[in-house]
Short mmCIF file of all heavy atoms in Angstrom, two decimals:
data_model
loop_
_atom_site.label_atom_id
_atom_site.label_comp_id
_atom_site.label_asym_id
_atom_site.label_seq_id
_atom_site.Cartn_x
_atom_site.Cartn_y
_atom_site.Cartn_z
N GLU A 157 -1.15 -35.90 1.39
CA GLU A 157 0.23 -36.30 1.14
C GLU A 157 1.20 -35.17 1.49
O GLU A 157 2.24 -35.39 2.13
CB GLU A 157 0.41 -36.68 -0.33
CG GLU A 157 1.84 -37.05 -0.71
CD GLU A 157 2.08 -37.02 -2.20
OE1 GLU A 157 1.16 -37.35 -2.98
OE2 GLU A 157 3.21 -36.65 -2.61
N ILE A 158 0.86 -33.96 1.06
CA ILE A 158 1.71 -32.80 1.34
C ILE A 158 1.80 -32.55 2.84
O ILE A 158 2.88 -32.34 3.40
CB ILE A 158 1.16 -31.55 0.61
CG1 ILE A 158 1.28 -31.71 -0.90
CG2 ILE A 158 1.90 -30.29 1.06
CD1 ILE A 158 0.52 -30.67 -1.70
N ILE A 159 0.65 -32.58 3.52
CA ILE A 159 0.62 -32.35 4.96
C ILE A 159 1.39 -33.44 5.69
O ILE A 159 2.14 -33.17 6.64
CB ILE A 159 -0.83 -32.29 5.47
CG1 ILE A 159 -1.53 -31.04 4.91
CG2 ILE A 159 -0.89 -32.30 6.99
CD1 ILE A 159 -3.02 -31.00 5.17
N GLY A 160 1.26 -34.67 5.22
CA GLY A 160 1.89 -35.81 5.87
C GLY A 160 3.41 -35.83 5.80
O GLY A 160 4.06 -36.57 6.53
N ARG A 161 3.98 -35.02 4.93
CA ARG A 161 5.44 -34.92 4.88
C ARG A 161 6.00 -34.32 6.17
O ARG A 161 7.13 -34.61 6.57
CB ARG A 161 5.88 -34.06 3.69
CG ARG A 161 5.55 -34.66 2.33
CD ARG A 161 5.85 -33.65 1.24
NE ARG A 161 5.23 -34.03 -0.03
CZ ARG A 161 5.10 -33.21 -1.07
NH1 ARG A 161 5.55 -31.96 -0.97
NH2 ARG A 161 4.51 -33.63 -2.17
N LYS A 162 5.19 -33.47 6.82
CA LYS A 162 5.65 -32.83 8.06
C LYS A 162 4.91 -33.34 9.29
O LYS A 162 5.51 -33.47 10.36
CB LYS A 162 5.47 -31.31 7.96
CG LYS A 162 6.43 -30.64 6.99
CD LYS A 162 6.40 -29.13 7.14
CE LYS A 162 7.47 -28.50 6.26
NZ LYS A 162 7.55 -27.04 6.46
N ILE A 163 3.61 -33.58 9.15
CA ILE A 163 2.81 -34.03 10.29
C ILE A 163 2.78 -35.56 10.31
O ILE A 163 2.17 -36.20 9.44
CB ILE A 163 1.37 -33.49 10.21
CG1 ILE A 163 1.38 -31.96 10.10
CG2 ILE A 163 0.56 -33.95 11.42
CD1 ILE A 163 1.96 -31.24 11.30
N LYS A 164 3.43 -36.15 11.29
CA LYS A 164 3.51 -37.60 11.40
C LYS A 164 2.58 -38.17 12.46
O LYS A 164 2.58 -39.38 12.69
CB LYS A 164 4.95 -38.02 11.71
CG LYS A 164 5.97 -37.60 10.64
CD LYS A 164 5.62 -38.16 9.27
CE LYS A 164 6.63 -37.78 8.21
NZ LYS A 164 6.26 -38.27 6.87
N ASP A 165 1.80 -37.31 13.08
CA ASP A 165 0.83 -37.75 14.07
C ASP A 165 -0.42 -38.22 13.33
O ASP A 165 -1.16 -37.43 12.74
CB ASP A 165 0.49 -36.58 15.01
CG ASP A 165 -0.36 -37.01 16.19
OD1 ASP A 165 -1.21 -37.90 16.03
OD2 ASP A 165 -0.18 -36.44 17.29
N GLU A 166 -0.69 -39.53 13.36
CA GLU A 166 -1.80 -40.11 12.60
C GLU A 166 -3.16 -39.60 13.09
O GLU A 166 -4.11 -39.53 12.30
CB GLU A 166 -1.75 -41.63 12.68
CG GLU A 166 -0.55 -42.23 11.94
CD GLU A 166 -0.56 -43.74 11.96
OE1 GLU A 166 -1.51 -44.32 12.53
OE2 GLU A 166 0.37 -44.33 11.40
N LYS A 167 -3.25 -39.23 14.34
CA LYS A 167 -4.52 -38.72 14.86
C LYS A 167 -4.81 -37.33 14.31
O LYS A 167 -5.98 -36.98 14.07
CB LYS A 167 -4.50 -38.71 16.39
CG LYS A 167 -4.49 -40.11 17.00
CD LYS A 167 -4.53 -40.06 18.52
CE LYS A 167 -4.56 -41.47 19.11
NZ LYS A 167 -4.60 -41.45 20.59
N VAL A 168 -3.79 -36.52 14.12
CA VAL A 168 -3.97 -35.21 13.51
C VAL A 168 -4.42 -35.38 12.05
O VAL A 168 -5.32 -34.67 11.58
CB VAL A 168 -2.68 -34.36 13.58
CG1 VAL A 168 -2.86 -33.04 12.84
CG2 VAL A 168 -2.29 -34.11 15.03
N ILE A 169 -3.79 -36.32 11.36
CA ILE A 169 -4.19 -36.60 9.97
C ILE A 169 -5.63 -37.08 9.93
O ILE A 169 -6.40 -36.70 9.02
CB ILE A 169 -3.25 -37.65 9.35
CG1 ILE A 169 -1.80 -37.11 9.29
CG2 ILE A 169 -3.73 -38.03 7.96
CD1 ILE A 169 -1.62 -35.87 8.44
N TRP A 170 -6.03 -37.89 10.91
CA TRP A 170 -7.43 -38.34 10.99
C TRP A 170 -8.37 -37.15 11.11
O TRP A 170 -9.41 -37.08 10.41
CB TRP A 170 -7.61 -39.26 12.20
CG TRP A 170 -9.05 -39.54 12.51
CD1 TRP A 170 -9.85 -40.50 11.95
CD2 TRP A 170 -9.88 -38.84 13.46
NE1 TRP A 170 -11.12 -40.43 12.47
CE2 TRP A 170 -11.17 -39.43 13.40
CE3 TRP A 170 -9.66 -37.78 14.34
CZ2 TRP A 170 -12.22 -38.99 14.20
CZ3 TRP A 170 -10.71 -37.34 15.13
CH2 TRP A 170 -11.97 -37.94 15.06
N LEU A 171 -8.04 -36.18 11.97
CA LEU A 171 -8.89 -35.01 12.17
C LEU A 171 -8.97 -34.17 10.90
O LEU A 171 -10.06 -33.72 10.50
CB LEU A 171 -8.36 -34.17 13.33
CG LEU A 171 -9.12 -32.86 13.61
CD1 LEU A 171 -10.59 -33.13 13.90
CD2 LEU A 171 -8.47 -32.10 14.76
N ILE A 172 -7.84 -33.96 10.25
CA ILE A 172 -7.82 -33.20 9.00
C ILE A 172 -8.68 -33.88 7.94
O ILE A 172 -9.45 -33.23 7.22
CB ILE A 172 -6.37 -33.01 8.50
CG1 ILE A 172 -5.59 -32.11 9.47
CG2 ILE A 172 -6.35 -32.43 7.09
CD1 ILE A 172 -4.10 -32.06 9.19
N THR A 173 -8.57 -35.20 7.87
CA THR A 173 -9.36 -35.96 6.90
C THR A 173 -10.85 -35.82 7.21
O THR A 173 -11.68 -35.67 6.29
CB THR A 173 -8.95 -37.44 6.93
OG1 THR A 173 -7.56 -37.55 6.63
CG2 THR A 173 -9.73 -38.23 5.88
N ARG A 174 -11.23 -35.85 8.48
CA ARG A 174 -12.62 -35.66 8.89
C ARG A 174 -13.15 -34.32 8.39
O ARG A 174 -14.26 -34.22 7.87
CB ARG A 174 -12.73 -35.69 10.42
CG ARG A 174 -12.80 -37.05 11.03
CD ARG A 174 -14.19 -37.64 10.85
NE ARG A 174 -14.45 -38.71 11.80
CZ ARG A 174 -15.48 -39.50 11.77
NH1 ARG A 174 -16.37 -39.36 10.81
NH2 ARG A 174 -15.65 -40.45 12.65
N ILE A 175 -12.34 -33.29 8.57
CA ILE A 175 -12.75 -31.94 8.16
C ILE A 175 -12.88 -31.86 6.64
O ILE A 175 -13.84 -31.30 6.11
CB ILE A 175 -11.74 -30.90 8.68
CG1 ILE A 175 -11.81 -30.83 10.21
CG2 ILE A 175 -12.01 -29.52 8.07
CD1 ILE A 175 -10.70 -30.03 10.85
N LEU A 176 -11.92 -32.44 5.92
CA LEU A 176 -11.94 -32.40 4.46
C LEU A 176 -13.12 -33.16 3.88
O LEU A 176 -13.68 -32.76 2.85
CB LEU A 176 -10.63 -32.98 3.90
CG LEU A 176 -9.37 -32.15 4.09
CD1 LEU A 176 -8.15 -32.92 3.57
CD2 LEU A 176 -9.47 -30.81 3.37
N LYS A 177 -13.51 -34.24 4.53
CA LYS A 177 -14.62 -35.06 4.01
C LYS A 177 -15.96 -34.35 4.08
O LYS A 177 -16.92 -34.76 3.42
CB LYS A 177 -14.69 -36.39 4.76
CG LYS A 177 -13.65 -37.40 4.33
CD LYS A 177 -13.85 -38.73 5.05
CE LYS A 177 -12.88 -39.78 4.54
NZ LYS A 177 -13.05 -41.08 5.23
N ASN A 178 -16.04 -33.29 4.88
CA ASN A 178 -17.29 -32.55 5.02
C ASN A 178 -17.45 -31.58 3.85
O ASN A 178 -17.39 -30.36 3.98
CB ASN A 178 -17.30 -31.79 6.35
CG ASN A 178 -18.68 -31.26 6.69
OD1 ASN A 178 -19.69 -31.84 6.27
ND2 ASN A 178 -18.74 -30.18 7.45
N THR A 179 -17.64 -32.15 2.67
CA THR A 179 -17.80 -31.37 1.44
C THR A 179 -18.76 -32.10 0.52
O THR A 179 -19.17 -33.25 0.79
CB THR A 179 -16.44 -31.15 0.76
OG1 THR A 179 -16.58 -30.24 -0.33
CG2 THR A 179 -15.87 -32.47 0.24
N GLU A 180 -19.14 -31.46 -0.58
CA GLU A 180 -20.16 -32.02 -1.47
C GLU A 180 -19.66 -33.23 -2.24
O GLU A 180 -20.37 -34.22 -2.39
CB GLU A 180 -20.65 -30.95 -2.45
CG GLU A 180 -21.46 -29.84 -1.78
CD GLU A 180 -21.99 -28.85 -2.78
OE1 GLU A 180 -21.76 -29.06 -3.99
OE2 GLU A 180 -22.64 -27.87 -2.36
#
Side-chain angles (χ1 to χ4, degrees):
E157 177 197 326
I158 293 169
I159 293 171
R161 294 173 196 166
K162 289 192 175 185
I163 304 297
K164 299 302 181 183
D165 188 324
E166 292 183 1
K167 292 182 178 180
V168 176
I169 297 298
W170 168 84
L171 177 59
I172 293 170
T173 302
R174 277 283 200 189
I175 293 169
L176 289 176
K177 282 184 175 180
N178 193 27
T179 188
E180 291 183 2

